[in-house]
Amino acid sequence: MTTTDTPITPDDAETAPAHVHEASRPLLGIALVIGATALFALNDSANKFLVSEFPVPAVAATRYIVHCLVMIAILGPVQGRRLVQTRRTGLVLLRSICLVVATLFFGLALQHMPVAETTAIVYLAPMLVVLLARPLLGERIGLVGWISTLLGFCGVLLIVRPGGGLDPIGIVLALSNVGFSVVYYLLSRVLAASEKTLTLLFYTALIGAICFGLALPWFWFDHAPTLLQLVLMLSLGVTAGMGHFLFTAAYRYAQASLLAPVTYMHLLWAGLSGWLVFGHVPEGLTIAGMVIIAAAGVLIALRTRFAKV
């Protein structure tokens, strides 16, 4: 599971519900993932709109606090103490802190770069996870994994190429997000065997609310937000929460191997929202890089079908 500050990838299946599918309804599963990725892209665009006016920690605090309160209101009465019960609390907290730092870098990167390019760069994270899964987790990479990872790197190089017009500071910030996202994903894989999905979701929201909430006295709003800005701030937590709900629910109706490639719709939605909201159209080579990253991600998602390759 992740948030919009880290790419929505096949690895999220590691923390998807482990029970048997309620029914084999693949089209419904695909529709739910498409809806989830659209919500995440809208969240990214609203985030960029807000961080252009307000400090990143202040915007992130609003988003996480709303997200946390929504989870408490909806899940608290049903889950009770089960929502906070963990078996490996230290790793759960470390995973949440990694997401907090990734959120900070993502917001800072959006202050310097368009939504589509920023989103595409952070999708480098799951490809790095593929490379690190062998020495750290003992997972087999395989030829398909190597090819996918190399393709992903080539796609990112096309986006961050010299003369591409992107702010170097923004690129460094986006790559910093990638570094913490990789640790987040690796910990997600480790914890998937012992922790409940809803518990992991709740702790990421809780730790984010606490960390960014404590930063508010130093990064308060420079001026009072307008009604539109206030609505967008409140929507950050709602769209993130609803996106994760749809994303998790999708695995009740279809297999991970079918849904994983659909997660790369996030890149398409990010490009469309960047165009509609900010009037930004990526250059030809940049679009080619995004397409290559998506293709590499699909290969990674389907690599289990080529396990013997």
Side-chain angles (χ1 to χ4, degrees), residues 42-73:
L42 288 174
N43 188 287
D44 294 340
S45 292
N47 198 4
K48 178 174 176 58
F49 182 82
L50 292 169
V51 297
S52 65
E53 292 284 337
F54 303 104
V56 172
V59 174
T62 306
R63 168 251 180 101
Y64 274 103
I65 290 172
V66 172
H67 191 177
C68 185
L69 292 176
V70 168
M71 291 197 71
I72 292 174

PDB file of all heavy atoms in Angstrom, residues 42-73:
ATOM      1  N   LEU A  42      -5.456  13.348  -9.267  1.00  0.00           N
ATOM      2  CA  LEU A  42      -6.123  14.576  -8.824  1.00  0.00           C
ATOM      3  C   LEU A  42      -5.497  15.096  -7.530  1.00  0.00           C
ATOM      4  O   LEU A  42      -5.310  16.300  -7.351  1.00  0.00           O
ATOM      5  CB  LEU A  42      -7.614  14.309  -8.611  1.00  0.00           C
ATOM      6  CG  LEU A  42      -8.458  14.112  -9.871  1.00  0.00           C
ATOM      7  CD1 LEU A  42      -9.881  13.720  -9.484  1.00  0.00           C
ATOM      8  CD2 LEU A  42      -8.464  15.368 -10.724  1.00  0.00           C
ATOM      9  N   ASN A  43      -5.152  14.177  -6.648  1.00  0.00           N
ATOM     10  CA  ASN A  43      -4.498  14.547  -5.403  1.00  0.00           C
ATOM     11  C   ASN A  43      -3.158  15.224  -5.679  1.00  0.00           C
ATOM     12  O   ASN A  43      -2.821  16.232  -5.058  1.00  0.00           O
ATOM     13  CB  ASN A  43      -4.306  13.297  -4.547  1.00  0.00           C
ATOM     14  CG  ASN A  43      -3.816  13.597  -3.147  1.00  0.00           C
ATOM     15  OD1 ASN A  43      -2.656  13.948  -2.954  1.00  0.00           O
ATOM     16  ND2 ASN A  43      -4.681  13.433  -2.162  1.00  0.00           N
ATOM     17  N   ASP A  44      -2.402  14.658  -6.631  1.00  0.00           N
ATOM     18  CA  ASP A  44      -1.101  15.237  -6.986  1.00  0.00           C
ATOM     19  C   ASP A  44      -1.254  16.656  -7.521  1.00  0.00           C
ATOM     20  O   ASP A  44      -0.479  17.554  -7.169  1.00  0.00           O
ATOM     21  CB  ASP A  44      -0.401  14.368  -8.034  1.00  0.00           C
ATOM     22  CG  ASP A  44      -0.010  12.997  -7.491  1.00  0.00           C
ATOM     23  OD1 ASP A  44       0.066  12.848  -6.260  1.00  0.00           O
ATOM     24  OD2 ASP A  44       0.215  12.086  -8.308  1.00  0.00           O
ATOM     25  N   SER A  45      -2.256  16.855  -8.383  1.00  0.00           N
ATOM     26  CA  SER A  45      -2.458  18.179  -8.982  1.00  0.00           C
ATOM     27  C   SER A  45      -2.900  19.187  -7.927  1.00  0.00           C
ATOM     28  O   SER A  45      -2.439  20.338  -7.919  1.00  0.00           O
ATOM     29  CB  SER A  45      -3.497  18.101 -10.102  1.00  0.00           C
ATOM     30  OG  SER A  45      -2.996  17.348 -11.197  1.00  0.00           O
ATOM     31  N   ALA A  46      -3.795  18.774  -7.036  1.00  0.00           N
ATOM     32  CA  ALA A  46      -4.212  19.670  -5.954  1.00  0.00           C
ATOM     33  C   ALA A  46      -3.038  19.997  -5.047  1.00  0.00           C
ATOM     34  O   ALA A  46      -2.874  21.144  -4.595  1.00  0.00           O
ATOM     35  CB  ALA A  46      -5.340  19.010  -5.142  1.00  0.00           C
ATOM     36  N   ASN A  47      -2.194  19.005  -4.814  1.00  0.00           N
ATOM     37  CA  ASN A  47      -0.995  19.204  -3.995  1.00  0.00           C
ATOM     38  C   ASN A  47      -0.081  20.253  -4.622  1.00  0.00           C
ATOM     39  O   ASN A  47       0.397  21.175  -3.953  1.00  0.00           O
ATOM     40  CB  ASN A  47      -0.270  17.871  -3.846  1.00  0.00           C
ATOM     41  CG  ASN A  47       0.718  17.880  -2.697  1.00  0.00           C
ATOM     42  OD1 ASN A  47       0.829  18.844  -1.955  1.00  0.00           O
ATOM     43  ND2 ASN A  47       1.450  16.805  -2.557  1.00  0.00           N
ATOM     44  N   LYS A  48       0.147  20.125  -5.931  1.00  0.00           N
ATOM     45  CA  LYS A  48       1.023  21.084  -6.621  1.00  0.00           C
ATOM     46  C   LYS A  48       0.422  22.491  -6.585  1.00  0.00           C
ATOM     47  O   LYS A  48       1.142  23.481  -6.366  1.00  0.00           O
ATOM     48  CB  LYS A  48       1.249  20.659  -8.070  1.00  0.00           C
ATOM     49  CG  LYS A  48       2.122  21.650  -8.845  1.00  0.00           C
ATOM     50  CD  LYS A  48       2.465  21.173 -10.221  1.00  0.00           C
ATOM     51  CE  LYS A  48       3.246  22.244 -10.986  1.00  0.00           C
ATOM     52  NZ  LYS A  48       4.490  22.642 -10.312  1.00  0.00           N
ATOM     53  N   PHE A  49      -0.869  22.572  -6.792  1.00  0.00           N
ATOM     54  CA  PHE A  49      -1.549  23.869  -6.760  1.00  0.00           C
ATOM     55  C   PHE A  49      -1.362  24.547  -5.403  1.00  0.00           C
ATOM     56  O   PHE A  49      -1.123  25.756  -5.325  1.00  0.00           O
ATOM     57  CB  PHE A  49      -3.040  23.671  -7.060  1.00  0.00           C
ATOM     58  CG  PHE A  49      -3.833  24.937  -7.107  1.00  0.00           C
ATOM     59  CD1 PHE A  49      -3.857  25.725  -8.241  1.00  0.00           C
ATOM     60  CD2 PHE A  49      -4.563  25.353  -6.004  1.00  0.00           C
ATOM     61  CE1 PHE A  49      -4.592  26.909  -8.286  1.00  0.00           C
ATOM     62  CE2 PHE A  49      -5.299  26.527  -6.026  1.00  0.00           C
ATOM     63  CZ  PHE A  49      -5.310  27.300  -7.172  1.00  0.00           C
ATOM     64  N   LEU A  50      -1.439  23.754  -4.326  1.00  0.00           N
ATOM     65  CA  LEU A  50      -1.365  24.310  -2.981  1.00  0.00           C
ATOM     66  C   LEU A  50       0.064  24.644  -2.559  1.00  0.00           C
ATOM     67  O   LEU A  50       0.303  25.667  -1.913  1.00  0.00           O
ATOM     68  CB  LEU A  50      -1.994  23.336  -1.981  1.00  0.00           C
ATOM     69  CG  LEU A  50      -3.511  23.166  -2.110  1.00  0.00           C
ATOM     70  CD1 LEU A  50      -3.994  21.994  -1.277  1.00  0.00           C
ATOM     71  CD2 LEU A  50      -4.229  24.447  -1.688  1.00  0.00           C
ATOM     72  N   VAL A  51       1.041  23.781  -2.920  1.00  0.00           N
ATOM     73  CA  VAL A  51       2.415  24.037  -2.470  1.00  0.00           C
ATOM     74  C   VAL A  51       3.048  25.200  -3.220  1.00  0.00           C
ATOM     75  O   VAL A  51       4.119  25.681  -2.832  1.00  0.00           O
ATOM     76  CB  VAL A  51       3.303  22.773  -2.608  1.00  0.00           C
ATOM     77  CG1 VAL A  51       2.795  21.653  -1.732  1.00  0.00           C
ATOM     78  CG2 VAL A  51       3.438  22.331  -4.069  1.00  0.00           C
ATOM     79  N   SER A  52       2.383  25.669  -4.280  1.00  0.00           N
ATOM     80  CA  SER A  52       2.875  26.875  -4.945  1.00  0.00           C
ATOM     81  C   SER A  52       2.538  28.127  -4.147  1.00  0.00           C
ATOM     82  O   SER A  52       3.095  29.194  -4.390  1.00  0.00           O
ATOM     83  CB  SER A  52       2.277  26.976  -6.359  1.00  0.00           C
ATOM     84  OG  SER A  52       0.870  27.152  -6.293  1.00  0.00           O
ATOM     85  N   GLU A  53       1.616  27.983  -3.173  1.00  0.00           N
ATOM     86  CA  GLU A  53       1.183  29.116  -2.359  1.00  0.00           C
ATOM     87  C   GLU A  53       1.554  28.982  -0.883  1.00  0.00           C
ATOM     88  O   GLU A  53       1.740  29.977  -0.195  1.00  0.00           O
ATOM     89  CB  GLU A  53      -0.337  29.272  -2.461  1.00  0.00           C
ATOM     90  CG  GLU A  53      -0.836  29.709  -3.833  1.00  0.00           C
ATOM     91  CD  GLU A  53      -0.588  31.186  -4.085  1.00  0.00           C
ATOM     92  OE1 GLU A  53      -0.445  31.944  -3.106  1.00  0.00           O
ATOM     93  OE2 GLU A  53      -0.536  31.581  -5.273  1.00  0.00           O
ATOM     94  N   PHE A  54       1.665  27.735  -0.402  1.00  0.00           N
ATOM     95  CA  PHE A  54       1.867  27.506   1.029  1.00  0.00           C
ATOM     96  C   PHE A  54       3.041  26.553   1.256  1.00  0.00           C
ATOM     97  O   PHE A  54       3.420  25.794   0.359  1.00  0.00           O
ATOM     98  CB  PHE A  54       0.601  26.903   1.650  1.00  0.00           C
ATOM     99  CG  PHE A  54      -0.628  27.737   1.464  1.00  0.00           C
ATOM    100  CD1 PHE A  54      -1.584  27.378   0.527  1.00  0.00           C
ATOM    101  CD2 PHE A  54      -0.827  28.884   2.216  1.00  0.00           C
ATOM    102  CE1 PHE A  54      -2.721  28.153   0.343  1.00  0.00           C
ATOM    103  CE2 PHE A  54      -1.959  29.664   2.042  1.00  0.00           C
ATOM    104  CZ  PHE A  54      -2.906  29.298   1.102  1.00  0.00           C
ATOM    105  N   PRO A  55       3.638  26.580   2.460  1.00  0.00           N
ATOM    106  CA  PRO A  55       4.743  25.671   2.765  1.00  0.00           C
ATOM    107  C   PRO A  55       4.307  24.209   2.652  1.00  0.00           C
ATOM    108  O   PRO A  55       3.188  23.852   3.023  1.00  0.00           O
ATOM    109  CB  PRO A  55       5.105  26.026   4.217  1.00  0.00           C
ATOM    110  CG  PRO A  55       4.589  27.407   4.419  1.00  0.00           C
ATOM    111  CD  PRO A  55       3.355  27.507   3.581  1.00  0.00           C
ATOM    112  N   VAL A  56       5.209  23.382   2.145  1.00  0.00           N
ATOM    113  CA  VAL A  56       4.906  21.958   1.954  1.00  0.00           C
ATOM    114  C   VAL A  56       4.475  21.280   3.255  1.00  0.00           C
ATOM    115  O   VAL A  56       3.477  20.547   3.272  1.00  0.00           O
ATOM    116  CB  VAL A  56       6.114  21.232   1.322  1.00  0.00           C
ATOM    117  CG1 VAL A  56       5.886  19.719   1.303  1.00  0.00           C
ATOM    118  CG2 VAL A  56       6.352  21.751  -0.090  1.00  0.00           C
ATOM    119  N   PRO A  57       5.187  21.493   4.392  1.00  0.00           N
ATOM    120  CA  PRO A  57       4.758  20.815   5.625  1.00  0.00           C
ATOM    121  C   PRO A  57       3.344  21.198   6.056  1.00  0.00           C
ATOM    122  O   PRO A  57       2.612  20.368   6.604  1.00  0.00           O
ATOM    123  CB  PRO A  57       5.796  21.280   6.655  1.00  0.00           C
ATOM    124  CG  PRO A  57       7.010  21.607   5.855  1.00  0.00           C
ATOM    125  CD  PRO A  57       6.471  22.204   4.589  1.00  0.00           C
ATOM    126  N   ALA A  58       2.944  22.452   5.824  1.00  0.00           N
ATOM    127  CA  ALA A  58       1.598  22.886   6.209  1.00  0.00           C
ATOM    128  C   ALA A  58       0.539  22.170   5.379  1.00  0.00           C
ATOM    129  O   ALA A  58      -0.487  21.714   5.901  1.00  0.00           O
ATOM    130  CB  ALA A  58       1.469  24.402   6.046  1.00  0.00           C
ATOM    131  N   VAL A  59       0.774  22.069   4.080  1.00  0.00           N
ATOM    132  CA  VAL A  59      -0.163  21.361   3.202  1.00  0.00           C
ATOM    133  C   VAL A  59      -0.214  19.879   3.566  1.00  0.00           C
ATOM    134  O   VAL A  59      -1.289  19.281   3.647  1.00  0.00           O
ATOM    135  CB  VAL A  59       0.244  21.543   1.723  1.00  0.00           C
ATOM    136  CG1 VAL A  59      -0.646  20.694   0.811  1.00  0.00           C
ATOM    137  CG2 VAL A  59       0.167  23.016   1.326  1.00  0.00           C
ATOM    138  N   ALA A  60       0.969  19.290   3.791  1.00  0.00           N
ATOM    139  CA  ALA A  60       1.018  17.868   4.137  1.00  0.00           C
ATOM    140  C   ALA A  60       0.332  17.600   5.472  1.00  0.00           C
ATOM    141  O   ALA A  60      -0.335  16.572   5.645  1.00  0.00           O
ATOM    142  CB  ALA A  60       2.469  17.394   4.191  1.00  0.00           C
ATOM    143  N   ALA A  61       0.474  18.515   6.425  1.00  0.00           N
ATOM    144  CA  ALA A  61      -0.180  18.343   7.725  1.00  0.00           C
ATOM    145  C   ALA A  61      -1.690  18.287   7.561  1.00  0.00           C
ATOM    146  O   ALA A  61      -2.362  17.423   8.149  1.00  0.00           O
ATOM    147  CB  ALA A  61       0.219  19.483   8.658  1.00  0.00           C
ATOM    148  N   THR A  62      -2.238  19.192   6.760  1.00  0.00           N
ATOM    149  CA  THR A  62      -3.677  19.201   6.519  1.00  0.00           C
ATOM    150  C   THR A  62      -4.132  17.887   5.908  1.00  0.00           C
ATOM    151  O   THR A  62      -5.119  17.284   6.330  1.00  0.00           O
ATOM    152  CB  THR A  62      -4.066  20.369   5.596  1.00  0.00           C
ATOM    153  OG1 THR A  62      -3.574  21.589   6.145  1.00  0.00           O
ATOM    154  CG2 THR A  62      -5.569  20.448   5.439  1.00  0.00           C
ATOM    155  N   ARG A  63      -3.386  17.427   4.918  1.00  0.00           N
ATOM    156  CA  ARG A  63      -3.738  16.194   4.216  1.00  0.00           C
ATOM    157  C   ARG A  63      -3.720  14.989   5.155  1.00  0.00           C
ATOM    158  O   ARG A  63      -4.654  14.187   5.209  1.00  0.00           O
ATOM    159  CB  ARG A  63      -2.772  15.992   3.045  1.00  0.00           C
ATOM    160  CG  ARG A  63      -2.836  14.609   2.388  1.00  0.00           C
ATOM    161  CD  ARG A  63      -1.573  13.834   2.745  1.00  0.00           C
ATOM    162  NE  ARG A  63      -1.544  12.515   2.183  1.00  0.00           N
ATOM    163  CZ  ARG A  63      -0.856  12.194   1.113  1.00  0.00           C
ATOM    164  NH1 ARG A  63      -0.187  13.116   0.465  1.00  0.00           N
ATOM    165  NH2 ARG A  63      -0.821  10.949   0.702  1.00  0.00           N
ATOM    166  N   TYR A  64      -2.644  14.843   5.942  1.00  0.00           N
ATOM    167  CA  TYR A  64      -2.520  13.669   6.807  1.00  0.00           C
ATOM    168  C   TYR A  64      -3.494  13.718   7.983  1.00  0.00           C
ATOM    169  O   TYR A  64      -4.019  12.677   8.403  1.00  0.00           O
ATOM    170  CB  TYR A  64      -1.089  13.531   7.315  1.00  0.00           C
ATOM    171  CG  TYR A  64      -0.186  12.787   6.366  1.00  0.00           C
ATOM    172  CD1 TYR A  64       0.734  13.459   5.561  1.00  0.00           C
ATOM    173  CD2 TYR A  64      -0.251  11.406   6.265  1.00  0.00           C
ATOM    174  CE1 TYR A  64       1.556  12.781   4.687  1.00  0.00           C
ATOM    175  CE2 TYR A  64       0.568  10.712   5.393  1.00  0.00           C
ATOM    176  CZ  TYR A  64       1.468  11.403   4.600  1.00  0.00           C
ATOM    177  OH  TYR A  64       2.282  10.719   3.732  1.00  0.00           O
ATOM    178  N   ILE A  65      -3.716  14.900   8.543  1.00  0.00           N
ATOM    179  CA  ILE A  65      -4.647  15.010   9.656  1.00  0.00           C
ATOM    180  C   ILE A  65      -6.061  14.625   9.212  1.00  0.00           C
ATOM    181  O   ILE A  65      -6.774  13.874   9.891  1.00  0.00           O
ATOM    182  CB  ILE A  65      -4.615  16.430  10.250  1.00  0.00           C
ATOM    183  CG1 ILE A  65      -3.271  16.665  10.972  1.00  0.00           C
ATOM    184  CG2 ILE A  65      -5.779  16.642  11.209  1.00  0.00           C
ATOM    185  CD1 ILE A  65      -3.061  18.088  11.424  1.00  0.00           C
ATOM    186  N   VAL A  66      -6.482  15.134   8.044  1.00  0.00           N
ATOM    187  CA  VAL A  66      -7.805  14.784   7.518  1.00  0.00           C
ATOM    188  C   VAL A  66      -7.881  13.283   7.239  1.00  0.00           C
ATOM    189  O   VAL A  66      -8.861  12.614   7.593  1.00  0.00           O
ATOM    190  CB  VAL A  66      -8.113  15.594   6.241  1.00  0.00           C
ATOM    191  CG1 VAL A  66      -9.394  15.085   5.579  1.00  0.00           C
ATOM    192  CG2 VAL A  66      -8.242  17.073   6.567  1.00  0.00           C
ATOM    193  N   HIS A  67      -6.835  12.754   6.609  1.00  0.00           N
ATOM    194  CA  HIS A  67      -6.783  11.322   6.291  1.00  0.00           C
ATOM    195  C   HIS A  67      -6.909  10.492   7.566  1.00  0.00           C
ATOM    196  O   HIS A  67      -7.670   9.516   7.632  1.00  0.00           O
ATOM    197  CB  HIS A  67      -5.465  11.017   5.571  1.00  0.00           C
ATOM    198  CG  HIS A  67      -5.412   9.646   4.978  1.00  0.00           C
ATOM    199  ND1 HIS A  67      -4.351   9.192   4.238  1.00  0.00           N
ATOM    200  CD2 HIS A  67      -6.278   8.608   5.039  1.00  0.00           C
ATOM    201  CE1 HIS A  67      -4.573   7.946   3.852  1.00  0.00           C
ATOM    202  NE2 HIS A  67      -5.742   7.574   4.330  1.00  0.00           N
ATOM    203  N   CYS A  68      -6.175  10.870   8.594  1.00  0.00           N
ATOM    204  CA  CYS A  68      -6.183  10.139   9.853  1.00  0.00           C
ATOM    205  C   CYS A  68      -7.557  10.211  10.518  1.00  0.00           C
ATOM    206  O   CYS A  68      -8.091   9.195  11.001  1.00  0.00           O
ATOM    207  CB  CYS A  68      -5.110  10.692  10.785  1.00  0.00           C
ATOM    208  SG  CYS A  68      -4.910   9.772  12.322  1.00  0.00           S
ATOM    209  N   LEU A  69      -8.159  11.396  10.558  1.00  0.00           N
ATOM    210  CA  LEU A  69      -9.468  11.558  11.180  1.00  0.00           C
ATOM    211  C   LEU A  69     -10.544  10.771  10.447  1.00  0.00           C
ATOM    212  O   LEU A  69     -11.450  10.188  11.075  1.00  0.00           O
ATOM    213  CB  LEU A  69      -9.844  13.047  11.229  1.00  0.00           C
ATOM    214  CG  LEU A  69      -9.007  13.913  12.179  1.00  0.00           C
ATOM    215  CD1 LEU A  69      -9.422  15.379  12.060  1.00  0.00           C
ATOM    216  CD2 LEU A  69      -9.140  13.428  13.616  1.00  0.00           C
ATOM    217  N   VAL A  70     -10.451  10.745   9.107  1.00  0.00           N
ATOM    218  CA  VAL A  70     -11.420   9.971   8.324  1.00  0.00           C
ATOM    219  C   VAL A  70     -11.309   8.486   8.654  1.00  0.00           C
ATOM    220  O   VAL A  70     -12.318   7.788   8.825  1.00  0.00           O
ATOM    221  CB  VAL A  70     -11.205  10.209   6.811  1.00  0.00           C
ATOM    222  CG1 VAL A  70     -12.007   9.202   5.982  1.00  0.00           C
ATOM    223  CG2 VAL A  70     -11.616  11.625   6.429  1.00  0.00           C
ATOM    224  N   MET A  71     -10.071   7.984   8.770  1.00  0.00           N
ATOM    225  CA  MET A  71      -9.876   6.574   9.096  1.00  0.00           C
ATOM    226  C   MET A  71     -10.400   6.257  10.500  1.00  0.00           C
ATOM    227  O   MET A  71     -11.014   5.210  10.721  1.00  0.00           O
ATOM    228  CB  MET A  71      -8.407   6.198   8.983  1.00  0.00           C
ATOM    229  CG  MET A  71      -7.859   6.203   7.565  1.00  0.00           C
ATOM    230  SD  MET A  71      -6.298   5.297   7.423  1.00  0.00           S
ATOM    231  CE  MET A  71      -6.862   3.604   7.630  1.00  0.00           C
ATOM    232  N   ILE A  72     -10.152   7.157  11.447  1.00  0.00           N
ATOM    233  CA  ILE A  72     -10.639   6.936  12.814  1.00  0.00           C
ATOM    234  C   ILE A  72     -12.169   6.920  12.836  1.00  0.00           C
ATOM    235  O   ILE A  72     -12.791   6.059  13.480  1.00  0.00           O
ATOM    236  CB  ILE A  72     -10.095   8.019  13.759  1.00  0.00           C
ATOM    237  CG1 ILE A  72      -8.577   7.866  13.935  1.00  0.00           C
ATOM    238  CG2 ILE A  72     -10.793   7.952  15.114  1.00  0.00           C
ATOM    239  CD1 ILE A  72      -7.934   8.970  14.739  1.00  0.00           C
ATOM    240  N   ALA A  73     -12.784   7.856  12.118  1.00  0.00           N
ATOM    241  CA  ALA A  73     -14.241   7.951  12.121  1.00  0.00           C
ATOM    242  C   ALA A  73     -14.892   6.736  11.470  1.00  0.00           C
ATOM    243  O   ALA A  73     -15.921   6.238  11.940  1.00  0.00           O
ATOM    244  CB  ALA A  73     -14.671   9.233  11.402  1.00  0.00           C
TER     245      ALA A  73
END
